[in-house]
Amino acid sequence: YEDFVTVKTEGGDFPVRVWAHRPPPVLSIPSILDIGACLVGDAKSTTFRCRNTGGRGKFRLLSPEDYPEPRTAQRNLVSLRMEPFNVTPTEFSLGPGEEVALNIDYVPLFLGEHRAALVMVCDNCQVATYEIKGLSEEVTLRVSETNGGVLLEGTLLRQLHFPSLSIGASEEQTMSLRNGTSLDLRFRWDIRPENTAVVIGASHPHRPPPRGELSNQHGDDSGVGPSGGDELLSLPPPPPSNPGNS
């Protein structure tokens, strides 16, 4: 800041320069706040650590529509809502070496990429604009292999046939599931007789269904396991019934 004052004397007037310097704050957050992918209709919360390596400053977050004249007083803004994003806190102060956690909730109701602008105003008159972006996806899951044979894209596997066996014999088949999203999907297998109504939470009386997480696709369709986005599933037959109980 620079200014001057004028000193008036009997011998004449002369200016006196006034100068002050305030180190500007330097924040560590990136210009693009990437939330990543989220399933449509679900919610995802992401935290960005904002550290100040410069001078002290007080900050306020606004939407572009509210800058430079906010429609709502800051004390009434618990969070900043910009569909489908929600940002907290909306106001904070940072000294040198201090940091704050910026929390962004992403609740997509429509498929596709979502973007929103975020304006940060500092009390030293600096203004910076940041972009928030997220990607909404739907579940894309398919059977990619059965017993080592690759299924073509678009092939729908409805049945897995086991041959007729004598009592006490066993037969095993394998199939791989491919997760086509960029997210890890939790899964649970529920094996039940054909044409049985689906009841969420019910399990097989002989063997509880396995649970786990199906890793996201990394582009290697031939891989099995987390590196390829497939899970190899072994389906042995259920244990034979006891003839004495029939």
Side-chain angles (χ1 to χ4, degrees):
Y1 301 93
E2 286 190 52
D3 207 339
F4 69 91
V5 295
T6 301
V7 180
K8 296 181 178 292
T9 68
E10 294 179 352
D13 301 343
F14 62 91
V16 176
R17 182 187 176 198
V18 179
W19 180 87
H21 173 68
R22 175 185 172 186
V26 179
L27 304 183
S28 62
I29 58 174
S31 59
I32 298 179
L33 304 174
D34 192 352
I35 307 299
C38 178
L39 291 178
V40 63
D42 202 354
K44 182 179 182 180
S45 181
T46 304
T47 300
F48 295 90
R49 308 299 302 186
C50 177
R51 184 176 180 84
N52 181 18
T53 57
R56 181 175 299 276
K58 187 175 183 179
F59 305 88
R60 184 176 182 183
L61 303 182
L62 299 169
S63 65
E65 294 77 18
D66 283 342
Y67 177 77
E69 299 179 357
R71 294 168 293 179
T72 306
Q74 188 69 30
R75 63 180 180 273
N76 297 328
L77 280 179
V78 178
S79 63
L80 182 60
R81 184 67 178 168
M82 300 178 296
E83 298 286 352
F85 305 104
N86 191 62
V87 185
T88 56
T90 61
E91 189 176 37
F92 52 90
S93 297
L94 291 177
E98 294 180 346
E99 67 176 37
V100 67
L102 290 180
N103 300 307
I104 302 180
D105 296 324
Y106 178 38
V107 187
L109 300 180
F110 302 97
L111 290 172
E113 189 177 60
H114 300 96
R115 294 175 180 265
L118 177 67
V119 179
M120 180 182 292
V121 182
C122 182
D123 62 352
N124 69 347
C125 300
Q126 288 184 334
V127 179
T129 301
Y130 298 87
E131 183 182 53
I132 306 173
K133 73 172 185 177
L135 178 64
S136 175
E137 300 184 5
E138 62 182 349
V139 175
T140 305
L141 196 64
R142 70 180 183 89
V143 179
S144 58
E145 295 183 14
T146 57
N147 301 315
V150 178
L151 296 181
L152 297 177
E153 186 81 28
T155 302
L156 183 61
L157 180 67
R158 294 186 178 275
Q159 294 179 323
L160 193 62
H161 294 282
F162 284 87
S164 299
L165 300 172
S166 59
I167 296 177
S170 64
E171 175 76 14
E172 182 176 288
Q173 299 193 39
T174 61
M175 66 178 181
S176 295
L177 281 180
R178 180 93 180 150
N179 176 11
T181 71
S182 58
L183 297 163
D184 292 343
L185 300 177
R186 297 180 62 187
F187 71 89
R188 187 191 75 171
W189 281 98
D190 197 350
I191 302 176
R192 62 184 73 238
E194 189 177 5
N195 299 324
T196 301
V198 176
V199 179
I200 302 300
S203 58
H204 194 277
H206 300 294
R207 178 172 41 127
R211 302 169 185 265
E213 190 171 70
L214 192 60
S215 300
N216 64 299
Q217 174 177 315
H218 294 288
D220 181 9
D221 195 58
S222 62
V224 175
S227 62
D230 290 20
E231 293 288 344
L232 184 62
L233 302 166
S234 178
L235 300 177
S241 59
N242 189 345
N245 295 334
S246 58

